[in-house]
Amino acid sequence: MNPRLLQIGPLSEGLQARLAQWPVTSLWREPADHLSRYGGDYDVVVTSARHGLSEAQLAQLPRVRAICSFGVGSDAICVAAAQARGIRVSVTPDVLNDCVADLALGLILATARQLPASDRFVREGRWAAGAYPLTRRVSGKRLGIVGLGRIGEQIALRATGFAMPMRYHSRRPHPQHGDSHEPDLLALARWADFLVLACPGGAATHHLIDAAVLDALGPQGVLINIARGSVVDEAALVAALREGRLGGAGLDVFEHEPQVPSELFELPNVVLLPHVGSGTVETRQAMEQLLLDNLAAFLRDGEVLTPP
Ligand code: 8YV
């Protein structure tokens, strides 16, 4: 099979070079009516967690049999509609667990100890005028995890190194974690010192973290988001931080990326990152390889290796 590939949005140069072994059309370079005119020409869609694929786009792709995505999140992809048509969907799980979990711990430390703000304090020459204000301890503090999937498990593992008691909120208990399951999200937020979001994005978790949860986490609590911006009511988060009702936030994802609420910029107890959870050389190479492995498996066997 010599498939015609439709690439939804830009990917790394390395991955695009390896995809070029097949005929690939870059949708973002085509006129707006391209799919309505030529959508029937394509066999496989290549996309990413960021670029996704909408139901409207899929409806214009009658011949597509596989969607191969770069990234583990599938909330921007119309997975149910695709699978209802027997279309195979692949994502790139597991290979990014370590780097995303590492970043979650990095955000916990950076936010509690105000590392970016204290770095700026030194660079701006303000140390001569006095010591940096005291910040908050991490070791031994209580860790709440929302979503104990493959990434959440790695976050929990890393937290044992900081002697952090852990409880989690997820759709169902995980027997290997004994009685650490908290079915009540508000109760978890009241208990936790750090509440780390590691759940999928999408309709089921949209604004799961609302003003009530943020108030339960409280003025000594810290929210860490390495999941999806959509999981948090961002306006409520900004209000809670600016009014001192939340102790801090470490954010790698936002509701309307790359827009980030500028009201957060001057807050020393807030750390803002540009969605870099999987953004290491090693992990992105592994993700690229896994996408290509999925594509090759589909072309060989008609099945993908790592569905969502
Ligand atoms: C993506 C991510 O890889 O994997 C995900 O779901 O959010 C990131 O790691 C990145 O956004 C590229 O789409």
Side-chain angles (χ1 to χ4, degrees), residues 238-291:
V238 171
L241 288 165
R242 293 187 63 80
E243 295 163 16
R245 289 184 284 109
L246 182 65
L251 309 170
D252 187 42
V253 288
F254 303 87
E255 270 203 283
H256 308 291
E257 295 173 11
Q259 286 78 33
V260 177
S262 58
E263 303 93 320
L264 299 177
F265 289 2
E266 77 274 8
L267 299 179
N269 58 336
V270 175
V271 176
L272 305 169
L273 299 180
H275 199 154
V276 291
S278 65
T280 64
V281 172
E282 299 88 345
T283 287
R284 290 291 171 90
Q285 285 175 346
M287 291 165 66
E288 291 176 5
Q289 186 57 54
L290 184 50
L291 183 149

Short mmCIF file of all heavy atoms in Angstrom, two decimals, residues 238-291:
data_model
loop_
_atom_site.label_atom_id
_atom_site.label_comp_id
_atom_site.label_asym_id
_atom_site.label_seq_id
_atom_site.Cartn_x
_atom_site.Cartn_y
_atom_site.Cartn_z
N VAL A 238 -7.14 32.30 38.40
CA VAL A 238 -6.52 33.63 38.46
C VAL A 238 -7.09 34.42 39.63
O VAL A 238 -6.34 35.02 40.42
CB VAL A 238 -6.75 34.39 37.13
CG1 VAL A 238 -6.30 35.84 37.27
CG2 VAL A 238 -6.02 33.70 35.99
N ALA A 239 -8.39 34.37 39.81
CA ALA A 239 -9.02 35.10 40.93
C ALA A 239 -8.51 34.58 42.27
O ALA A 239 -8.15 35.37 43.17
CB ALA A 239 -10.53 34.97 40.84
N ALA A 240 -8.45 33.27 42.42
CA ALA A 240 -8.01 32.68 43.70
C ALA A 240 -6.56 33.06 44.01
O ALA A 240 -6.22 33.37 45.16
CB ALA A 240 -8.16 31.16 43.65
N LEU A 241 -5.72 33.07 42.99
CA LEU A 241 -4.32 33.43 43.21
C LEU A 241 -4.17 34.91 43.54
O LEU A 241 -3.47 35.30 44.47
CB LEU A 241 -3.49 33.07 41.97
CG LEU A 241 -3.26 31.58 41.74
CD1 LEU A 241 -2.77 31.32 40.33
CD2 LEU A 241 -2.26 31.03 42.77
N ARG A 242 -4.86 35.75 42.80
CA ARG A 242 -4.72 37.20 43.00
C ARG A 242 -5.32 37.63 44.34
O ARG A 242 -4.88 38.58 44.97
CB ARG A 242 -5.33 37.97 41.84
CG ARG A 242 -4.57 37.75 40.53
CD ARG A 242 -5.08 38.64 39.43
NE ARG A 242 -4.91 40.05 39.71
CZ ARG A 242 -3.76 40.72 39.56
NH1 ARG A 242 -2.67 40.07 39.19
NH2 ARG A 242 -3.69 42.00 39.80
N GLU A 243 -6.34 36.90 44.81
CA GLU A 243 -6.99 37.26 46.08
C GLU A 243 -6.39 36.52 47.27
O GLU A 243 -6.87 36.61 48.39
CB GLU A 243 -8.50 36.97 45.97
CG GLU A 243 -9.20 37.84 44.92
CD GLU A 243 -10.57 37.28 44.52
OE1 GLU A 243 -11.09 36.41 45.25
OE2 GLU A 243 -11.09 37.68 43.46
N GLY A 244 -5.34 35.71 47.01
CA GLY A 244 -4.66 35.02 48.09
C GLY A 244 -5.43 33.85 48.66
O GLY A 244 -5.12 33.34 49.76
N ARG A 245 -6.46 33.38 47.94
CA ARG A 245 -7.24 32.23 48.42
C ARG A 245 -6.58 30.90 48.02
O ARG A 245 -7.04 29.83 48.45
CB ARG A 245 -8.67 32.30 47.85
CG ARG A 245 -9.51 33.42 48.46
CD ARG A 245 -10.94 33.41 47.95
NE ARG A 245 -11.03 33.96 46.59
CZ ARG A 245 -11.28 33.24 45.51
NH1 ARG A 245 -11.43 31.91 45.60
NH2 ARG A 245 -11.34 33.79 44.31
N LEU A 246 -5.53 30.98 47.19
CA LEU A 246 -4.76 29.79 46.82
C LEU A 246 -3.28 30.12 47.02
O LEU A 246 -2.83 31.21 46.65
CB LEU A 246 -5.03 29.42 45.34
CG LEU A 246 -4.32 28.16 44.83
CD1 LEU A 246 -4.83 26.91 45.58
CD2 LEU A 246 -4.55 28.00 43.32
N GLY A 247 -2.54 29.16 47.58
CA GLY A 247 -1.17 29.44 47.96
C GLY A 247 -0.19 29.54 46.81
O GLY A 247 0.86 30.17 46.93
N GLY A 248 -0.51 28.91 45.65
CA GLY A 248 0.42 28.97 44.52
C GLY A 248 -0.03 28.04 43.42
O GLY A 248 -0.96 27.23 43.60
N ALA A 249 0.62 28.18 42.26
CA ALA A 249 0.28 27.32 41.12
C ALA A 249 1.51 27.14 40.24
O ALA A 249 2.24 28.10 39.97
CB ALA A 249 -0.86 27.91 40.31
N GLY A 250 1.70 25.90 39.81
CA GLY A 250 2.76 25.57 38.84
C GLY A 250 2.08 25.00 37.62
O GLY A 250 1.43 23.97 37.68
N LEU A 251 2.13 25.75 36.49
CA LEU A 251 1.29 25.44 35.33
C LEU A 251 2.12 25.20 34.08
O LEU A 251 2.90 26.07 33.67
CB LEU A 251 0.31 26.60 35.10
CG LEU A 251 -0.51 27.05 36.33
CD1 LEU A 251 -1.25 28.35 36.02
CD2 LEU A 251 -1.45 25.95 36.79
N ASP A 252 1.94 24.05 33.46
CA ASP A 252 2.60 23.77 32.17
C ASP A 252 1.58 23.79 31.04
O ASP A 252 1.94 23.67 29.86
CB ASP A 252 3.30 22.40 32.22
CG ASP A 252 4.13 22.15 30.97
OD1 ASP A 252 4.82 23.08 30.50
OD2 ASP A 252 4.06 21.03 30.41
N VAL A 253 0.30 23.91 31.38
CA VAL A 253 -0.75 23.91 30.36
C VAL A 253 -1.81 24.94 30.72
O VAL A 253 -2.00 25.28 31.90
CB VAL A 253 -1.40 22.52 30.25
CG1 VAL A 253 -0.46 21.51 29.58
CG2 VAL A 253 -1.87 22.00 31.59
N PHE A 254 -2.50 25.45 29.68
CA PHE A 254 -3.42 26.57 29.85
C PHE A 254 -4.64 26.37 28.96
O PHE A 254 -4.55 25.67 27.94
CB PHE A 254 -2.71 27.90 29.53
CG PHE A 254 -1.47 28.11 30.36
CD1 PHE A 254 -0.26 27.58 29.95
CD2 PHE A 254 -1.54 28.78 31.57
CE1 PHE A 254 0.89 27.74 30.72
CE2 PHE A 254 -0.40 28.94 32.34
CZ PHE A 254 0.81 28.42 31.92
N GLU A 255 -5.75 27.02 29.32
CA GLU A 255 -6.99 26.80 28.58
C GLU A 255 -6.89 27.23 27.12
O GLU A 255 -7.48 26.60 26.24
CB GLU A 255 -8.15 27.56 29.26
CG GLU A 255 -8.88 26.73 30.31
CD GLU A 255 -10.31 27.22 30.56
OE1 GLU A 255 -10.47 28.24 31.25
OE2 GLU A 255 -11.24 26.57 30.04
N HIS A 256 -6.16 28.32 26.87
CA HIS A 256 -6.15 28.88 25.50
C HIS A 256 -4.72 29.09 25.01
O HIS A 256 -4.34 30.18 24.61
CB HIS A 256 -6.95 30.19 25.49
CG HIS A 256 -8.33 30.06 26.08
ND1 HIS A 256 -9.33 29.33 25.47
CD2 HIS A 256 -8.85 30.51 27.26
CE1 HIS A 256 -10.42 29.37 26.23
NE2 HIS A 256 -10.15 30.07 27.33
N GLU A 257 -3.92 28.03 25.07
CA GLU A 257 -2.51 28.12 24.66
C GLU A 257 -2.40 28.65 23.22
O GLU A 257 -3.22 28.29 22.36
CB GLU A 257 -1.87 26.72 24.74
CG GLU A 257 -1.80 26.17 26.14
CD GLU A 257 -1.31 24.72 26.19
OE1 GLU A 257 -0.83 24.21 25.16
OE2 GLU A 257 -1.43 24.12 27.26
N PRO A 258 -1.41 29.52 22.91
CA PRO A 258 -0.35 29.96 23.82
C PRO A 258 -0.69 31.21 24.64
O PRO A 258 0.19 31.80 25.23
CB PRO A 258 0.79 30.25 22.84
CG PRO A 258 0.09 30.78 21.62
CD PRO A 258 -1.20 29.99 21.52
N GLN A 259 -1.99 31.61 24.66
CA GLN A 259 -2.34 32.75 25.51
C GLN A 259 -2.30 32.29 26.98
O GLN A 259 -2.84 31.25 27.35
CB GLN A 259 -3.74 33.28 25.20
CG GLN A 259 -3.84 34.07 23.89
CD GLN A 259 -3.87 33.18 22.67
OE1 GLN A 259 -4.41 32.08 22.73
NE2 GLN A 259 -3.25 33.62 21.57
N VAL A 260 -1.67 33.14 27.83
CA VAL A 260 -1.57 32.89 29.27
C VAL A 260 -2.04 34.15 29.99
O VAL A 260 -1.62 35.26 29.62
CB VAL A 260 -0.12 32.55 29.68
CG1 VAL A 260 0.00 32.36 31.19
CG2 VAL A 260 0.34 31.29 28.95
N PRO A 261 -2.93 34.03 30.97
CA PRO A 261 -3.43 35.24 31.65
C PRO A 261 -2.30 36.09 32.21
O PRO A 261 -1.53 35.65 33.07
CB PRO A 261 -4.30 34.67 32.78
CG PRO A 261 -4.70 33.30 32.32
CD PRO A 261 -3.53 32.80 31.52
N SER A 262 -2.18 37.32 31.70
CA SER A 262 -1.07 38.19 32.12
C SER A 262 -1.18 38.59 33.58
O SER A 262 -0.19 39.00 34.19
CB SER A 262 -1.05 39.46 31.25
OG SER A 262 -2.29 40.14 31.35
N GLU A 263 -2.39 38.43 34.17
CA GLU A 263 -2.53 38.75 35.60
C GLU A 263 -1.63 37.84 36.45
O GLU A 263 -1.36 38.12 37.62
CB GLU A 263 -3.98 38.57 36.05
CG GLU A 263 -5.00 39.40 35.27
CD GLU A 263 -5.59 38.62 34.11
OE1 GLU A 263 -4.84 37.89 33.41
OE2 GLU A 263 -6.81 38.73 33.89
N LEU A 264 -1.17 36.74 35.88
CA LEU A 264 -0.33 35.80 36.65
C LEU A 264 1.14 36.17 36.61
O LEU A 264 1.93 35.69 37.43
CB LEU A 264 -0.51 34.38 36.12
CG LEU A 264 -1.91 33.78 36.19
CD1 LEU A 264 -1.93 32.39 35.55
CD2 LEU A 264 -2.42 33.70 37.62
N PHE A 265 1.51 37.03 35.67
CA PHE A 265 2.93 37.23 35.37
C PHE A 265 3.73 37.76 36.55
O PHE A 265 4.87 37.37 36.75
CB PHE A 265 3.10 38.18 34.19
CG PHE A 265 2.69 37.59 32.85
CD1 PHE A 265 2.16 36.30 32.75
CD2 PHE A 265 2.81 38.33 31.69
CE1 PHE A 265 1.77 35.77 31.52
CE2 PHE A 265 2.45 37.80 30.45
CZ PHE A 265 1.92 36.53 30.37
N GLU A 266 3.17 38.60 37.36
CA GLU A 266 4.00 39.20 38.42
C GLU A 266 3.88 38.45 39.75
O GLU A 266 4.49 38.85 40.75
CB GLU A 266 3.64 40.67 38.63
CG GLU A 266 2.34 40.93 39.40
CD GLU A 266 1.11 40.92 38.51
OE1 GLU A 266 1.26 40.55 37.33
OE2 GLU A 266 0.03 41.27 39.01
N LEU A 267 3.16 37.34 39.78
CA LEU A 267 2.98 36.61 41.05
C LEU A 267 4.17 35.69 41.32
O LEU A 267 4.43 34.78 40.53
CB LEU A 267 1.67 35.80 41.01
CG LEU A 267 0.38 36.61 40.84
CD1 LEU A 267 -0.83 35.67 40.80
CD2 LEU A 267 0.23 37.64 41.95
N PRO A 268 4.92 35.87 42.40
CA PRO A 268 6.12 35.06 42.68
C PRO A 268 5.79 33.62 43.04
O PRO A 268 6.64 32.74 42.94
CB PRO A 268 6.77 35.78 43.87
CG PRO A 268 5.64 36.51 44.54
CD PRO A 268 4.70 36.90 43.45
N ASN A 269 4.53 33.37 43.45
CA ASN A 269 4.15 32.01 43.85
C ASN A 269 3.49 31.26 42.70
O ASN A 269 2.78 30.27 42.91
CB ASN A 269 3.18 32.08 45.04
CG ASN A 269 1.94 32.91 44.72
OD1 ASN A 269 1.98 33.78 43.84
ND2 ASN A 269 0.86 32.67 45.42
N VAL A 270 3.72 31.75 41.47
CA VAL A 270 3.18 31.10 40.28
C VAL A 270 4.34 30.83 39.32
O VAL A 270 5.17 31.71 39.07
CB VAL A 270 2.12 31.98 39.59
CG1 VAL A 270 1.65 31.34 38.28
CG2 VAL A 270 0.93 32.20 40.52
N VAL A 271 4.40 29.61 38.80
CA VAL A 271 5.41 29.25 37.80
C VAL A 271 4.68 28.90 36.51
O VAL A 271 3.72 28.12 36.52
CB VAL A 271 6.27 28.06 38.27
CG1 VAL A 271 7.26 27.62 37.18
CG2 VAL A 271 7.02 28.42 39.55
N LEU A 272 5.12 29.52 35.41
CA LEU A 272 4.44 29.39 34.12
C LEU A 272 5.40 28.77 33.10
O LEU A 272 6.48 29.32 32.87
CB LEU A 272 4.00 30.77 33.62
CG LEU A 272 3.12 31.58 34.58
CD1 LEU A 272 2.98 33.01 34.07
CD2 LEU A 272 1.76 30.92 34.76
N LEU A 273 5.00 27.64 32.53
CA LEU A 273 5.83 26.95 31.53
C LEU A 273 5.04 26.77 30.24
O LEU A 273 3.81 26.66 30.27
CB LEU A 273 6.27 25.58 32.07
CG LEU A 273 7.11 25.56 33.35
CD1 LEU A 273 7.45 24.13 33.73
CD2 LEU A 273 8.36 26.40 33.20
N PRO A 274 5.73 26.73 29.09
CA PRO A 274 5.05 26.67 27.78
C PRO A 274 4.78 25.26 27.27
O PRO A 274 5.22 24.87 26.18
CB PRO A 274 6.03 27.41 26.88
CG PRO A 274 7.37 27.11 27.47
CD PRO A 274 7.18 27.01 28.96
N HIS A 275 4.07 24.46 28.04
CA HIS A 275 3.66 23.10 27.67
C HIS A 275 4.88 22.29 27.22
O HIS A 275 4.98 21.85 26.07
CB HIS A 275 2.61 23.14 26.57
CG HIS A 275 1.83 21.87 26.46
ND1 HIS A 275 0.55 21.81 25.96
CD2 HIS A 275 2.15 20.60 26.76
CE1 HIS A 275 0.12 20.55 25.97
NE2 HIS A 275 1.09 19.80 26.44
N VAL A 276 5.81 22.12 28.14
CA VAL A 276 7.08 21.45 27.84
C VAL A 276 7.20 20.09 28.53
O VAL A 276 8.30 19.53 28.60
CB VAL A 276 8.27 22.35 28.22
CG1 VAL A 276 8.34 23.54 27.29
CG2 VAL A 276 8.17 22.81 29.69
N GLY A 277 6.08 19.55 29.02
CA GLY A 277 6.17 18.29 29.78
C GLY A 277 6.95 17.20 29.07
O GLY A 277 7.82 16.53 29.65
N SER A 278 6.65 17.00 27.78
CA SER A 278 7.38 15.94 27.05
C SER A 278 8.53 16.54 26.27
O SER A 278 9.15 15.86 25.44
CB SER A 278 6.43 15.24 26.08
OG SER A 278 6.00 16.16 25.08
N GLY A 279 8.84 17.79 26.50
CA GLY A 279 9.76 18.53 25.63
C GLY A 279 11.23 18.32 25.86
O GLY A 279 11.99 19.29 26.04
N THR A 280 11.68 17.06 25.90
CA THR A 280 13.12 16.79 25.95
C THR A 280 13.53 16.10 24.64
O THR A 280 12.70 15.45 23.97
CB THR A 280 13.48 15.86 27.13
OG1 THR A 280 12.86 14.58 26.93
CG2 THR A 280 13.03 16.46 28.44
N VAL A 281 14.80 16.20 24.32
CA VAL A 281 15.31 15.58 23.10
C VAL A 281 15.00 14.09 23.10
O VAL A 281 14.43 13.54 22.14
CB VAL A 281 16.83 15.82 22.97
CG1 VAL A 281 17.41 15.01 21.82
CG2 VAL A 281 17.12 17.30 22.79
N GLU A 282 15.31 13.46 24.23
CA GLU A 282 15.15 12.00 24.29
C GLU A 282 13.69 11.60 24.13
O GLU A 282 13.35 10.68 23.37
CB GLU A 282 15.68 11.48 25.62
CG GLU A 282 17.17 11.75 25.87
CD GLU A 282 17.46 13.08 26.54
OE1 GLU A 282 16.55 13.95 26.57
OE2 GLU A 282 18.60 13.26 26.98
N THR A 283 12.81 12.25 24.84
CA THR A 283 11.40 11.85 24.80
C THR A 283 10.75 12.18 23.47
O THR A 283 10.01 11.36 22.92
CB THR A 283 10.63 12.51 25.97
OG1 THR A 283 11.02 11.84 27.18
CG2 THR A 283 9.13 12.38 25.80
N ARG A 284 11.04 13.33 22.92
CA ARG A 284 10.43 13.66 21.62
C ARG A 284 10.94 12.73 20.52
O ARG A 284 10.15 12.33 19.64
CB ARG A 284 10.71 15.12 21.28
CG ARG A 284 9.94 16.12 22.16
CD ARG A 284 8.47 16.08 21.90
NE ARG A 284 7.68 16.84 22.84
CZ ARG A 284 7.37 18.14 22.69
NH1 ARG A 284 7.83 18.81 21.67
NH2 ARG A 284 6.62 18.75 23.60
N GLN A 285 12.20 12.29 20.60
CA GLN A 285 12.69 11.31 19.63
C GLN A 285 11.93 9.99 19.79
O GLN A 285 11.52 9.36 18.80
CB GLN A 285 14.19 11.09 19.81
CG GLN A 285 15.06 12.22 19.29
CD GLN A 285 16.55 12.02 19.60
OE1 GLN A 285 16.93 11.18 20.42
NE2 GLN A 285 17.39 12.82 18.96
N ALA A 286 11.71 9.58 21.04
CA ALA A 286 10.99 8.33 21.29
C ALA A 286 9.54 8.44 20.81
O ALA A 286 8.97 7.49 20.26
CB ALA A 286 11.05 8.00 22.78
N MET A 287 8.93 9.62 20.99
CA MET A 287 7.55 9.81 20.53
C MET A 287 7.48 9.76 19.01
O MET A 287 6.56 9.17 18.43
CB MET A 287 7.02 11.15 21.05
CG MET A 287 6.81 11.18 22.57
SD MET A 287 6.61 12.84 23.22
CE MET A 287 5.07 13.33 22.48
N GLU A 288 8.45 10.40 18.36
CA GLU A 288 8.48 10.37 16.89
C GLU A 288 8.61 8.92 16.40
O GLU A 288 7.88 8.50 15.49
CB GLU A 288 9.65 11.21 16.38
CG GLU A 288 9.48 12.69 16.59
CD GLU A 288 10.70 13.50 16.17
OE1 GLU A 288 11.65 12.89 15.61
OE2 GLU A 288 10.69 14.73 16.38
N GLN A 289 9.49 8.16 17.04
CA GLN A 289 9.69 6.77 16.61
C GLN A 289 8.42 5.95 16.83
O GLN A 289 8.04 5.13 15.98
CB GLN A 289 10.85 6.14 17.37
CG GLN A 289 11.22 4.74 16.86
CD GLN A 289 11.55 4.74 15.38
OE1 GLN A 289 12.42 5.50 14.93
NE2 GLN A 289 10.86 3.91 14.59
N LEU A 290 7.73 6.22 17.94
CA LEU A 290 6.52 5.44 18.22
C LEU A 290 5.41 5.79 17.22
O LEU A 290 4.66 4.91 16.77
CB LEU A 290 6.06 5.70 19.65
CG LEU A 290 4.86 4.88 20.14
CD1 LEU A 290 5.03 3.40 19.88
CD2 LEU A 290 4.61 5.17 21.63
N LEU A 291 5.32 7.05 16.81
CA LEU A 291 4.34 7.40 15.77
C LEU A 291 4.66 6.63 14.49
O LEU A 291 3.77 6.02 13.87
CB LEU A 291 4.35 8.90 15.51
CG LEU A 291 3.32 9.41 14.50
CD1 LEU A 291 2.88 10.83 14.85
CD2 LEU A 291 3.81 9.38 13.06
#
